[in-house]
Amino acid sequence: MAHSHPILPISPGGVRIERVVTSGVFELDGGSWEVDNNVWVIGDDNECFVIDAAHEPVTILSVVGDRHVLGILCTHGHNDHINAVPELVSHTGAAAYLHPADRVLWDQTQEAAPDAELADGQTFAVGDVELRVLHTPGHAPGACCFHVPALDVLFSGDTLFNGGPGATGRSFSDFPTIIDSIRDDLLTLHDHTIVLTGHGDATSIGAEKPHVQEWLDRGH
């Protein structure tokens, strides 16, 4: 199923969301796949967060510009979402945040530990909006989404896509777990919540909610 790409909201204080599409290789379990990733930058003219530093640090930094980077928030530890983290940390001095349950994936490709940990319910502020961490395991044990209630936006990483759940056929993933995460933590949000994904087109909670049984029937 294909849904149209929603128009991204801007807060009264000028916080906006920018999408950067970067390209590279996803590697896991001895395989490698060419992928395009969505990197999200949320902030105002002065400061911002980077969500998922993937593949192309120079491209990401060109969107950040001279803004102060408050942090690099990693939705999970797969290499294609974190392989630009070291250069972004080096250039910006910002801390990289990861849920501790995903160190098993992070440590496969990263020499240095993440700078700080994500926890369910944790909040981050930028400008006049707040991002709330939702721990949504399934695609990866430490997978997290970031909900921005003021903008009715959810950064879903690889947990929920336009068309259903993220992949669960590889190591450290589990289909029943991702279904529970989506049903309990994501589909309880407002139907009009825009879902900004780790790959591909955006969707909304209302567009995905009716299809849970289809996902269960197909098993992915």
Side-chain angles (χ1 to χ4, degrees):
M1 58 185 169
H3 312 309
S4 62
H5 197 300
I7 297 171
L8 297 181
I10 300 176
S11 78
V15 170
R16 63 190 183 272
I17 296 167
E18 293 159 285
R19 178 193 189 199
V20 188
V21 180
T22 62
S23 301
V25 178
F26 167 48
E27 297 177 318
L28 188 66
D29 297 339
S32 62
W33 300 265
E34 295 283 341
V35 290
D36 293 332
N37 283 63
N38 293 327
V39 179
W40 299 101
V41 180
I42 178 171
D44 56 22
D45 290 339
N46 301 311
E47 58 187 17
C48 64
F49 282 100
V50 174
I51 298 175
D52 284 348
H55 307 307
E56 301 173 25
V58 173
T59 304
I60 299 166
L61 288 167
S62 71
V63 174
V64 168
D66 60 1
R67 287 181 286 178
H68 174 54
V69 178
L70 298 170
I72 301 159
L73 308 179
C74 304
T75 61
H76 60 294
H78 285 152
N79 79 292
D80 60 318
H81 291 256
I82 63 171
N83 52 14
V85 165
E87 286 194 57
L88 257 69
V89 168
S90 175
H91 278 81
T92 66
Y97 291 80
L98 181 82
H99 192 282
D102 253 27
R103 282 296 299 276
V104 66
L105 290 164
W106 174 282
D107 290 345
Q108 290 182 9
T109 62
Q110 299 296 310
E111 293 183 5
D115 302 294
E117 294 184 350
L118 295 171
D120 189 63
Q122 183 179 6
T123 58
F124 296 93
V126 58
D128 61 343
V129 307
E130 187 174 84
L131 292 77
R132 184 171 182 269
V133 179
L134 304 175
H135 178 214
T136 52
H139 179 70
C144 289
C145 299
F146 305 102
H147 182 216
V148 189
L151 298 179
D152 283 319
V153 163
L154 176 79
F155 298 99
S156 66
D158 287 2
T159 294
L160 179 63
F161 286 109
N162 185 323
T168 53
R170 302 190 182 100
S171 295
F172 310 110
S173 63
D174 183 71
F175 180 67
T177 302
I178 201 171
I179 288 292
D180 286 346
S181 291
I182 292 171
R183 189 161 44 193
D184 296 345
D185 295 314
L186 303 188
L187 299 186
T188 53
L189 302 174
H190 294 305
D191 282 0
H192 54 263
T193 303
I194 298 168
V195 180
L196 302 179
T197 58
H199 307 271
D201 292 336
T203 182
S204 69
I205 293 297
E208 302 304 328
K209 187 182 290 186
H211 301 285
V212 175
Q213 191 57 51
E214 295 173 27
W215 308 338
L216 291 169
D217 291 344
R218 74 191 189 197
H220 61 87

